[in-house]
Amino acid sequence: MPHRLHAFLAIVLTLAAPMTACAPPVPMEAPDASTVDSTAVDAPLPANEAGEADWLAVEKAMGADCGGGAITDPPLGDIACSGQLPEHLAWFLRNIPDGHPFLTAAEREDAAQARQSFKAVSGLGQRPDFVAVIHHFSLFWIRSLEGPDPDTTVYLVYGPQCDATWSDPVDKCFPDDAYLREFKLYRVHKGGRPEDVTRELTPPAPSLTPAERRRYGVYLHPDGDAKATDVKLDVSRLAYVPVLRWVLRPVQEGDYQPPPMPSSDPRAFDDHDWGSTSIAHFGFLVWTGERFELRETVPPGLWPCRTVRSSEHACGARYDSHADRYLDHRESTEPKRKGP
C-alpha cells in the first residue's frame, strides 16, 4: 500500500466511532479534533494509480460498504460508499441551525443516524475532508473543509431543494433559478455552534454585463436575454478537490434546440464532461484553508477529470487538459494557503 495512503488511513481510523441504534442526545460541543493524528494529509492517489480496493480503503476502514462505488447524486456521482457518517459530520448535521431550508430537528436527527453516501477526500487540514450526499426528499449534500486551525472546520452545504412533504411546493422550494447557487457555508469552532459565514468567506456570485446577457440568451432561451442566475456552480470535482466552478451551459428549453456555443466565444472552453461541447467559464471558487477565492485559472490538478470507476475517466477519449484554456499548466498544483 502506498505511503501516502497509509498516512491517510491513520488519520481516518481515529475518526471511526461506533454509533448506537438509539438516538443519542444532541451534543452541545463539536467533537474534538485535537486528538487526530497530526500526520500531514498528502494529495490523494489518482484513481488510475490505485486499485479499486486501495482507492476506497479509507471508507472501508470506517465500516462503510463500498461495493464498487454507489450511484448517487452530485457531487459524488458514482464513487461513493455507504455507512455511518464520521462523528463530526453527524454532529454538524444534527446542529445545522433551524433556519436552514426545510430541515426540522427530527429530520436532522434521522439523517445523522442513518447510513449515508459519502467519500473521504484529502484536504488542507490535519484530518481529511468528507463529501456526503444526505438521503432526503430532494438534493442535499455537505462538503467539510479543513484548514490550518485544527479546532475549526467549515461546512459547505447545498439543499435540500424542497420540503419533504410537498405540502406547499410554491412556498417550500428553492426557486428554479437558485439551483446550485444558493449554497451556505457554516463555520464550527471547537466548543461552538455552527455559524453562517457564507458572505464572509465567499466572494459574490458572478454577474453578466448587458452585452453578455444578449450574447448568451440564444444558448438558453428561444427569445430574451440570459440572466445572472443562468450562471451555475459545477460541483462535480468536490469529491476530489475543494474547488467549484461558475459556468453557463447551453440548455434545451421545451422544443427549443439552442445552437452550439462557438469556441471563439470570449469565455468558451471545451466541456468534455458533457459531450465535448463549448460552455462559458466565469471563474473557479478555490478553498484556501480559510476562505473561498475566485480565480480565473487554476492548475490542472485542481480541476481533474472525473473518475467513473477506479481506472475509468468520465472525460472523452480525446480529452487533454490543454483543451481547457482555463487550466494553467504553469501554476502550482496545490491550493494557495495563507499564513505560515
Side-chain angles (χ1 to χ4, degrees), residues 100-104 107 134-141 158-176 178-179 182:
H100 194 89
F102 320 129
L103 287 172
T104 67
E107 287 174 320
I134 307 302
H135 297 162
H136 195 269
F137 181 74
S138 61
L139 187 59
F140 178 27
W141 51 262
Y158 178 78
Q161 292 172 287
C162 290
D163 180 84
T165 64
W166 279 110
S167 58
D168 192 349
V170 175
D171 293 335
K172 294 187 177 181
C173 278
F174 277 131
D176 289 340
Y179 178 66
E182 301 298 327

Side-chain angles (χ1 to χ4, degrees), residues 30 91-92 151-155 186-190 192-194:
W91 178 93
F92 170 73
D151 293 331
T152 301
T153 299
V154 172
Y155 297 87
Y186 293 99
R187 181 170 55 207
V188 177
H189 292 299
K190 180 181 178 181
R193 311 291 291 178

Side-chain angles (χ1 to χ4, degrees), residues 71-319:
I71 304 299
T72 184
D73 292 319
L76 281 174
D78 58 359
I79 60 169
C81 298
S82 176
Q84 298 294 337
L85 291 171
E87 182 183 356
H88 72 95
L89 206 63
W91 178 93
F92 170 73
L93 189 52
R94 290 187 174 98
N95 288 277
I96 292 178
D98 289 337
H100 194 89
F102 320 129
L103 287 172
T104 67
E107 287 174 320
R108 297 196 306 269
E109 180 60 40
D110 288 344
Q113 290 190 67
R115 294 175 66 85
Q116 304 290 358
S117 299
F118 70 92
K119 180 77 176 72
V121 188
S122 179
L124 300 180
Q126 292 184 358
R127 63 184 176 186
D129 296 350
F130 287 89
V131 183
V133 170
I134 307 302
H135 297 162
H136 195 269
F137 181 74
S138 61
L139 187 59
F140 178 27
W141 51 262
I142 300 172
R143 170 51 145 104
S144 67
L145 298 160
E146 304 290 347
D149 181 358
D151 293 331
T152 301
T153 299
V154 172
Y155 297 87
L156 172 65
V157 184
Y158 178 78
Q161 292 172 287
C162 290
D163 180 84
T165 64
W166 279 110
S167 58
D168 192 349
V170 175
D171 293 335
K172 294 187 177 181
C173 278
F174 277 131
D176 289 340
D177 60 8
Y179 178 66
L180 289 188
R181 285 180 65 95
E182 301 298 327
F183 65 88
K184 285 185 177 290
L185 282 178
Y186 293 99
R187 181 170 55 207
V188 177
H189 292 299
K190 180 181 178 181
R193 311 291 291 178
E195 172 191 10
D196 187 342
V197 291
T198 309
R199 293 192 176 187
E200 177 185 345
L201 301 187
T202 311
S207 59
L208 296 176
T209 66
E212 288 174 332
R213 289 175 183 268
R214 292 189 297 271
R215 186 167 79 238
Y216 292 120
V218 67
Y219 307 120
L220 302 168
H221 317 292
D223 51 54
D225 295 344
K227 306 182 295 293
T229 50
D230 289 321
V231 182
K232 313 293 187 185
L233 277 171
D234 185 338
V235 303
S236 61
R237 303 313 197 268
L238 282 178
Y240 310 91
V241 290
V243 182
L244 306 97
R245 188 176 194 174
W246 288 110
V247 297
L248 184 148
R249 283 191 173 94
V251 295
Q252 181 177 346
E253 184 176 296
D255 294 330
Y256 177 64
Q257 294 280 354
M261 185 182 298
S263 58
S264 58
D265 183 273
R267 292 185 176 274
F269 71 98
D270 290 339
D271 183 28
H272 286 261
D273 284 356
W274 296 79
S276 300
T277 59
S278 290
I279 66 176
H281 165 87
F282 285 84
F284 296 96
L285 284 179
V286 181
W287 174 249
T288 67
E290 296 178 353
R291 61 175 289 108
F292 276 102
E293 289 184 352
L294 182 64
R295 299 182 190 168
E296 182 72 359
T297 64
V298 297
L302 289 187
W303 197 254
C305 181
R306 294 185 301 111
T307 301
V308 180
R309 286 288 185 262
S310 64
S311 59
E312 300 176 17
H313 286 165
C315 301
R318 297 173 58 190
Y319 173 76

